[in-house]
Amino acid sequence: MRRTLLVLASLSLALGGCTNAEAPQPNKLEKITVAYMPIPDNAALFIAMKRGFFAQEGLEIEPKEIRGLAEAVPKLLSGAWQFSLANYVTFFQVEEKQPGKLRLVADAYAAKKNTFSLMVKKDSPLKSLKDLQWSGSGRKKRIGVATPQSVATLTTEITLATEKDLNKDDIEFVFIKLPDMPQAVERGGEHGGVDVGWEVEPYITDSATKYSARQLADAASGPTDQFPIAGWAVSTTWVNADPGQVRQRADVVARFQRALNRGQQIAASDRSAVTAILPTYAHIEPAKASVIALGSFPTTLEGRRYQRVADAMLQFGYLTSGKPINAENVIWRSPLAASSPSVSSSTGATP
């Protein structure tokens, strides 16, 4: 009997664990703050959230809506926020002024035909880009963009440069919120609006359906075809804030990448998934989400792609130092070599 009790006691220890202090605790999700914009670029994030991919990696996402990366930068640089959607123009400007503070962990969105449009009202006298050329006297044509020194102004300048002897000196940039752009185009430059509006979806569709506006030029074709728009950046301040937590936080980055990349793979291959998720965060009506022009959702991190943006910024004077930036250097390289996601063109962001 005594031997039987000893055997049962041994089995109990083996199967049930040791003491209460040593018993495994329930898993607790680690909360991270992720800044986003209510635009299609973020589709993968919300797909991954809805399908539980982050929870499967032990992460809880606290989304923070922003108007642009510039709004999130102070929080990222302080380490208060961990990740943010980052348009590449602002991202490289941050890199120039404060190198190493942000690093790319995933791609998000790239331009495709008609994702950026230079729109004019239906009875506009402007028929081609050449008509924007300034005569040297009188009023310059007004082009509405959302923000200065942005992907809007850069792609507009690249598009203007496709026409001989045409550049930003021929026009005047006017800063207007994207939701207000269709009305500004309809008013026209002579009446307090703009002659041309740089528009993205769903406002391109709004302009065309509500005001019968037409496209003067596609700012996402030719030299801007597949132009990188935005990716996801991590705050290295947060990663490195406490030397004792660097490995743990680098592991969080790897888990964030894995979950996000699963969402990105779905966004890249299933238009219906994107159409379904847009109304939940982007304030786009379901009927409109099904017809708007969408860009592409790249599934790999490749410095050569982002180099296009950095080189264009240098060419058009967006880098104040006048010095080039090597895009390979802005990609996140984890100190956890064994578990760090690959960034090669063949394997993408998933190990």
Side-chain angles (χ1 to χ4, degrees):
M1 175 66 72
R2 185 171 180 274
R3 183 176 179 182
T4 301
L5 291 174
L6 288 173
V7 171
L8 290 173
S10 298
L11 285 171
S12 177
L13 286 172
L15 296 173
C18 304
T19 66
N20 288 338
E22 296 170 327
Q25 299 299 310
N27 290 333
K28 183 179 180 180
L29 297 181
E30 183 162 357
K31 182 178 288 188
I32 55 174
T33 301
V34 182
Y36 76 96
M37 294 178 67
I39 52 179
D41 310 36
N42 304 266
L45 175 73
F46 287 89
I47 289 172
M49 288 172 61
K50 182 177 181 180
R51 301 197 183 194
F53 298 158
F54 289 110
Q56 291 168 23
E57 293 286 353
L59 301 175
E60 178 184 349
I61 302 299
E62 182 181 11
K64 297 283 188 180
E65 184 175 325
I66 58 173
R67 290 169 292 180
L69 177 60
E71 183 179 341
V73 164
K75 294 285 190 180
L76 294 167
L77 296 187
S78 72
W81 291 0
Q82 288 75 55
F83 299 91
S84 178
L85 183 77
N87 79 80
Y88 292 121
V89 174
T90 304
F91 175 88
F92 281 120
Q93 289 171 332
V94 173
E95 174 65 16
E96 181 184 40
K97 294 177 174 62
Q98 301 193 63
K101 294 297 185 181
L102 301 179
R103 284 293 174 257
L104 294 176
V105 297
D107 206 339
Y109 205 58
K112 286 176 65 176
K113 184 178 180 181
N114 296 323
T115 49
F116 302 147
S117 282
L118 296 178
M119 302 291 288
V120 297
K121 62 180 182 177
K122 61 181 179 181
D123 58 352
S124 170
L126 301 175
K127 304 300 181 185
S128 70
L129 290 173
K130 189 69 175 177
D131 295 331
L132 294 172
Q133 195 160 35
W134 187 46
S135 64
S137 62
R139 182 179 70 85
K140 293 183 178 181
K141 299 297 187 293
R142 294 157 57 93
I143 297 184
V145 292
T147 52
Q149 293 276 297
S150 61
V151 67
T153 55
L154 182 59
T155 54
T156 297
E157 289 188 53
I158 294 172
T159 302
L160 294 178
T162 62
E163 188 68 44
K164 185 179 179 181
D165 300 326
L166 183 64
N167 57 54
K168 69 176 181 179
D169 294 332
D170 287 292
I171 58 94
E172 176 189 359
F173 279 126
V174 179
F175 306 114
I176 297 173
K177 294 178 181 179
L178 286 173
D180 299 331
M181 199 70 73
Q183 297 93 324
V185 170
E186 177 63 15
R187 287 198 305 274
E190 296 284 359
H191 303 286
V194 295
D195 300 284
V196 182
W198 183 94
E199 298 187 30
V200 297
E201 293 287 18
Y203 309 112
I204 296 170
T205 298
D206 285 345
S207 282
T209 56
K210 292 181 180 179
Y211 303 108
S212 299
R214 56 184 174 81
Q215 185 185 82
L216 180 70
D218 182 356
S221 63
T224 51
D225 181 42
Q226 290 295 324
F227 198 71
I229 300 172
W232 292 97
V234 65
S235 164
T236 58
T237 301
W238 166 73
V239 173
N240 299 317
D242 181 349
Q245 295 189 52
V246 169
R247 290 185 62 83
Q248 182 269 335
R249 290 183 174 180
D251 182 61
V252 169
V253 176
R255 287 185 277 148
F256 177 83
Q257 287 178 300
R258 285 196 295 266
L260 184 65
N261 190 62
R262 291 175 68 186
Q264 190 79 351
Q265 295 282 354
I266 293 170
S269 60
D270 186 355
R271 163 76 191 231
S272 65
V274 178
T275 297
I277 206 68
L278 285 178
T280 68
Y281 75 92
H283 319 307
I284 298 175
E285 300 166 3
K288 195 176 295 181
S290 66
V291 298
I292 61 174
L294 291 176
S296 62
F297 297 89
T299 57
T300 58
L301 274 172
E302 298 177 55
R304 63 180 179 81
R305 286 208 305 268
Y306 319 126
Q307 195 65 51
R308 290 180 63 191
V309 183
D311 290 348
M313 291 176 67
L314 182 65
Q315 177 185 351
F316 289 93
Y318 284 59
L319 298 177
T320 56
S321 68
K323 297 178 181 178
I325 292 177
N326 185 344
E328 286 288 343
N329 295 338
V330 304
I331 295 175
W332 165 257
R333 310 292 178 183
S334 174
L336 309 180
S339 60
S340 175
S342 167
V343 294
S344 70
S345 59
S346 58
T347 57
T350 301

